Amino acid sequence: MYINVQIAYYMIGVLLILMTIFIMATLSLKWNKKRVEKRRVQCLVRHKDYLDYVQMHLGEEDRLRTPGGSLTTFERRVLQSELVQWINRLDGVYRHRLLRLCGDLGLVEHNLKRLGSHRPLVRLDAAYHLGALRAPEATSSLLSLLYKKRVDSSSFIYARAAAQTATQLSEMGDLLRFLIENGKQDVHLTADITRESELDLTQLFITFLHEKNPKYVKLGLIGLQNSVKADLPDRIQELTKSDDRDIRMNAAKLLISSVDLSEEDVQFYLAFPDWEVRRLFAEWIGRSGLIQYIPLLSTRMEDVNWMVARASAASLVRMGDEGFEALCQLAVGNGSEHGRALAREFIEEDLKQSAAASSHVEDIMSHNHKEFLYKKYFENHQTLTNVM
């Protein structure tokens, strides 16, 4: 019994010591954080005139002067933090001048040295800042670090930085191929990295469309949605017939963002075997306000897939008075009972919503015109009194 009590005292003593150490460590971290923040604020105050000078002369001087005297490592880090924030917010000539200033301040050289550190967190921080500083001399080192390690969450910091600094299409090609072949991440994450590059990756994305690996094809399709689409390859239309749903849908999305679609193309895809593609095109017509395709939407109201039919009806509603009249014609036409009932449903809902939203003159005029069209087609229809 005596031994058990003695052991309990020892355990309590050990726990008290550990708690004391933990509390002291926590207080030390908080104190150190406050101390660093205080130094940072003092540094910003000390260099306020210089930062004001940079802001005032950013649009005037092609090469901004550096602050007088040498900078300490801490001062360099504080100025870097401020300048990188400005770089991320600006573009064009303003960003170019800030990047040149960062080079003159020795920030690129400073981070290149840190990139060779044995401490992983220091290397990651250096990689982030080299990417933000768009330092092309760092690209090969960043890619080397990326290729040497197993792909994990930290790999994307190196990949993003390499994309920001790359100046050659071959560098971006090698980077993307490495991520696709060695990573298990969603292809959208890789596509986000490509948006960091200042290069025109259109030809690279088109090349990916002909790869056997579906990940390359998906990346090519997603990437082309953010590129100039003046001449889309015929391969895009072939990919709408792919067995892979993501490839089909991304190909269709790319097509609807093209300015080269003819009426025959739109008619073809509104009758496409894949119902999701039909719905996508029906929604796109309404969202884009393409009233010339109202007759095609009207035919889709009889679609065997209810989601396509409802998407077509919703798009007609978005077409304003022309679409509303088309719905009225469908509701009293010779189509199927399902099509007529769907048209009546959207007509009545649109009338209720337009009546509730009639707060401006334009809204009131639009609602009154819809009432006129409704009376014109449903003069002796029982649902008129219910809606009005």
Side-chain angles (χ1 to χ4, degrees):
M1 182 68 179
Y2 173 75
I3 295 175
N4 290 338
V5 172
Q6 193 174 25
I7 292 175
Y9 284 143
Y10 285 146
M11 290 296 296
I12 293 172
V14 170
L15 289 174
L16 287 173
I17 292 172
L18 291 175
M19 288 177 61
T20 303
I21 293 173
F22 176 76
I23 292 172
M24 290 180 64
T26 304
L27 292 175
S28 177
L29 288 173
K30 288 185 176 180
W31 177 82
N32 186 62
K33 184 177 180 181
K34 289 183 178 180
R35 183 179 62 85
V36 171
E37 177 61 19
K38 183 178 180 181
R39 287 183 63 197
R40 189 188 72 84
V41 172
Q42 289 174 344
C43 182
L44 288 175
V45 171
R46 192 160 55 250
H47 291 281
K48 182 179 183 302
D49 290 342
Y50 176 72
L51 292 173
D52 290 343
Y53 152 77
V54 172
Q55 287 182 308
M56 291 175 61
H57 294 81
L58 189 57
E60 301 173 2
E61 299 182 19
D62 188 52
R63 197 179 195 109
L64 297 163
R65 62 175 175 81
T66 59
S70 60
L71 296 173
T72 65
T73 302
F74 185 80
E75 288 177 323
R76 188 179 286 112
R77 283 168 49 193
V78 173
L79 288 178
Q80 176 179 259
S81 177
E82 290 296 308
L83 293 174
V84 164
Q85 290 183 47
W86 296 354
I87 289 170
N88 290 334
R89 290 198 298 262
L90 301 173
D91 54 16
V93 66
Y94 302 112
R95 173 184 283 184
H96 176 73
R97 288 172 181 171
L98 285 174
L99 291 174
R100 175 182 287 183
L101 174 62
C102 289
D104 293 340
L105 287 171
L107 299 181
V108 173
E109 182 181 358
H110 171 67
N111 284 293
L112 281 172
K113 291 179 180 178
R114 297 176 70 227
L115 198 61
S117 172
H118 296 294
R119 297 163 59 189
L121 291 179
V122 174
R123 292 199 300 270
L124 283 174
D125 185 72
Y128 167 78
H129 284 101
L130 286 168
L133 297 174
R134 309 302 193 273
E137 56 266 55
T139 305
S140 59
S141 299
L142 290 167
L143 289 175
S144 296
L145 285 171
L146 177 64
Y147 297 157
K148 288 178 181 177
K149 67 192 303 294
R150 182 176 59 86
V151 175
D152 55 23
S153 57
S154 65
S155 299
F156 293 97
I157 297 178
Y158 291 117
R160 179 179 178 272
Q164 290 175 313
T165 62
T167 56
Q168 298 181 27
L169 207 58
S170 59
E171 294 173 334
M172 283 300 300
D174 293 342
L175 168 63
L176 296 177
R177 289 183 184 278
F178 174 81
L179 291 176
I180 290 176
E181 296 294 342
N182 296 277
K184 298 179 181 180
Q185 74 287 345
D186 185 85
V187 71
H188 289 275
L189 186 56
T190 305
D192 287 338
I193 291 175
T194 66
R195 296 188 181 97
E196 299 292 341
S197 176
E198 297 182 355
L199 297 172
D200 182 3
L201 304 179
T202 302
Q203 290 305 315
L204 184 60
F205 291 140
I206 290 176
T207 301
F208 285 168
L209 297 182
H210 299 276
E211 295 280 350
K212 292 183 179 179
N213 188 333
K215 285 187 177 182
Y216 285 106
V217 179
K218 293 175 187 178
L219 179 59
L221 291 170
I222 297 171
L224 284 174
Q225 293 175 19
N226 301 292
S227 302
V228 178
K229 299 173 279 293
D231 294 309
L232 288 177
D234 295 336
R235 175 70 172 155
I236 303 296
Q237 297 195 9
E238 296 175 15
L239 292 173
T240 58
K241 303 172 185 177
S242 171
D243 294 333
D244 190 305
R245 177 188 177 277
D246 288 340
I247 291 178
R248 287 199 310 272
M249 295 306 295
N250 280 307
K253 289 177 182 178
L254 192 55
L255 283 173
I256 65 176
S257 63
S258 171
V259 296
D260 296 330
L261 282 178
S262 64
E263 184 172 350
E264 290 74 18
D265 291 329
V266 176
Q267 187 172 7
F268 173 77
Y269 286 106
L270 280 175
F272 203 71
D274 187 341
W275 69 269
E276 289 186 286
V277 173
R278 298 199 303 273
R279 184 183 66 174
L280 185 69
F281 270 79
E283 291 173 343
W284 163 67
I285 292 172
R287 188 169 59 249
S288 303
L290 302 175
I291 59 176
Q292 67 268 32
Y293 297 135
I294 285 179
L296 297 180
L297 282 179
S298 298
T299 62
R300 285 300 97 199
M301 290 278 291
E302 301 286 349
D303 198 283
V304 293
N305 185 281
W306 68 274
M307 294 187 71
V308 177
R310 295 188 71 85
S312 301
S315 287
L316 286 173
V317 169
R318 299 180 71 167
M319 295 289 190
D321 294 344
E322 294 90 343
F324 186 84
E325 185 165 11
L327 284 171
C328 291
Q329 292 171 352
L330 287 166
V332 298
N334 297 321
S336 66
E337 177 56 34
H338 166 73
R340 294 198 304 271
L342 184 62
R344 288 195 297 269
E345 176 189 340
F346 275 82
I347 288 169
E348 294 172 5
E349 184 62 28
D350 188 30
L351 280 174
K352 291 176 182 177
Q353 291 186 1
S354 64
S358 298
S359 57
H360 297 88
V361 175
E362 295 82 1
D363 296 332
I364 296 174
M365 292 178 63
S366 175
H367 177 71
N368 289 341
H369 186 62
K370 288 178 180 179
E371 284 187 349
F372 168 77
L373 291 172
Y374 192 92
K375 292 177 181 178
K376 174 183 175 181
Y377 288 95
F378 295 90
E379 185 173 0
N380 298 316
H381 201 283
Q382 182 62 36
T383 58
L384 173 64
T385 54
N386 296 332
V387 175
M388 306 303 287

